[in-house]
Amino acid sequence: MISRSCSRPGGLCKRGAMGRGKIEIKRIENATTRQVTFSKRRGGLLKKARELAILCDAELSVIIFSSTGKLFEYASSSMKDILERYSKCPERNPSSPLDVDLDNDYWNQEVARLKQKIEQLENTKRHMMGEELTSLTVKELQELERMTENGYNEIRARKLTLVNLQESLLMEELEELRRKERELQDENTQLREQVEAVEGIGSHTLRSFTVLTEAPSPSETREPTTITPGAQAQDNLRDESDTSLQLRLYVDTNGDASPSSNGHNKGEWST
């Protein structure tokens, strides 16, 4: 294959109708041409990576930083998962001096960045608490005021949401207690009615039992007797003799009347 030198920027030249010529790989000095080439090559690289991931079911990621520090990346799944898998891969050889130096530089940069981030957060926290405000400019104070108002509004909205939620829960509990109270009242009313019914039956049974116990038994009932005139005369004579006997005993006991004092003989007292 015969190649010819090319005076075009970037070493790009045509070899005629047969196709592209040989490209010299070196840094492109022209900034505009370098940026155009970067955009084209970057798009082609990402396209090829996407095709490779789809066609071969491969898990891959591409990370690109431009000369200006802008980041371009592509990952077939999650970039974080791919990097963690890469860091845990046993086939890596981190013991090589180059990898060790790169790892040290990377972690040093991460430590510095995290320290700076922590310091910024601590300063912001102190400013939010109203401390160390003398070093802030008017614009920074206005931004701090805006952040404070936004935080206050968020806190107030959250508090109102929680208060409304608690009130709704309390209302539900109160309604449930009222429902249980109604159920207990209904149950109490039913029990009271049952007790009154049982007491009514018991009092009726007691009255019936009292009547039965007070009624004379058939053995105690006297049969009517028929009094004949002769029997009635005998009863009268018996009553008169009993009366005379009682009167005599009374006189003998008192000593007020005797047969001699009244002029009567003994035979006049007897009947």
Side-chain angles (χ1 to χ4, degrees):
M1 180 181 295
I2 301 174
S3 63
R4 61 177 182 175
S5 61
C6 182
S7 60
R8 297 183 62 184
L12 300 178
C13 61
K14 295 182 180 180
R15 51 174 293 184
M18 297 299 294
R20 291 183 180 181
K22 185 178 179 180
I23 300 174
E24 185 179 1
I25 303 300
K26 69 177 183 179
R27 183 177 183 274
I28 301 174
E29 299 297 333
N30 188 280
T32 304
T33 305
R34 185 169 60 247
Q35 183 64 31
V36 172
T37 303
F38 173 77
S39 299
K40 291 181 178 180
R41 295 289 182 119
R42 183 198 67 213
L45 178 61
L46 297 179
K47 180 180 178 182
K48 292 295 183 181
R50 188 179 303 107
E51 292 175 354
L52 178 62
I54 296 173
L55 293 175
C56 302
D57 194 18
E59 188 174 6
L60 56 90
S61 63
V62 178
I63 300 175
I64 303 173
F65 288 98
S66 66
S67 59
T68 58
K70 191 174 182 180
L71 172 64
F72 301 92
E73 63 180 9
Y74 168 77
S76 58
S77 57
S78 172
M79 178 67 73
K80 182 179 179 181
D81 295 340
I82 294 175
L83 293 178
E84 288 181 355
R85 181 178 178 183
Y86 173 74
S87 63
K88 296 177 182 179
C89 182
E91 297 179 359
R92 289 185 65 227
N93 186 15
S95 60
S96 62
L98 181 60
D99 290 340
V100 171
D101 293 339
L102 291 176
D103 289 341
N104 290 335
D105 293 340
Y106 171 76
W107 290 117
N108 290 332
Q109 293 177 2
E110 284 294 313
V111 169
R113 185 181 64 83
L114 291 176
K115 286 183 178 180
Q116 184 179 3
K117 186 68 174 178
I118 291 172
E119 185 178 358
Q120 292 177 356
L121 292 175
E122 289 180 350
N123 291 332
T124 303
K125 179 182 177 181
R126 287 192 293 267
H127 295 160
M128 295 290 290
M129 297 295 294
E131 301 175 357
E132 300 181 3
L133 300 178
T134 55
S135 60
L136 299 179
T137 62
V138 175
K139 185 176 181 180
E140 291 175 346
L141 289 173
Q142 291 176 351
E143 181 66 18
L144 180 62
E145 182 180 8
R146 184 186 63 81
M147 293 172 59
T148 306
E149 290 179 354
N150 293 337
Y152 174 75
N153 293 331
E154 291 292 334
I155 293 172
R156 187 172 184 179
R158 180 59 180 170
K159 185 186 73 173
L160 292 176
T161 302
L162 292 177
V163 169
N164 294 332
L165 180 61
Q166 291 179 356
E167 289 180 354
S168 62
L169 292 176
L170 289 176
M171 292 299 296
E172 291 179 358
E173 292 179 359
L174 181 61
E175 186 64 26
E176 182 67 18
L177 291 175
R178 289 176 178 174
R179 185 184 64 81
K180 291 182 178 180
E181 181 183 5
R182 290 192 297 268
E183 292 179 355
L184 291 175
Q185 288 178 354
D186 295 339
E187 185 177 356
N188 190 16
T189 302
Q190 293 178 0
L191 291 175
R192 187 182 295 110
E193 292 176 355
Q194 293 177 2
V195 170
E196 290 176 356
V198 171
E199 289 179 352
I201 295 174
S203 60
H204 178 71
T205 304
L206 182 60
R207 287 194 299 269
S208 300
F209 179 75
T210 304
V211 171
L212 291 175
T213 54
E214 291 179 355
S217 60
S219 60
E220 296 178 354
T221 304
R222 295 182 179 180
E223 296 181 357
T225 56
T226 304
I227 301 175
T228 60
Q232 185 174 5
Q234 292 178 2
D235 292 337
N236 293 334
L237 292 174
R238 190 181 297 109
D239 294 336
E240 291 177 359
S241 62
D242 293 338
T243 302
S244 299
L245 181 59
Q246 292 175 0
L247 181 60
R248 184 181 300 173
L249 291 174
Y250 175 77
V251 173
D252 292 341
T253 302
N254 294 330
D256 293 337
S258 62
S260 59
S261 62
N262 293 329
H264 301 285
N265 52 18
K266 185 183 267 186
E268 291 178 353
W269 288 92
S270 61
T271 56

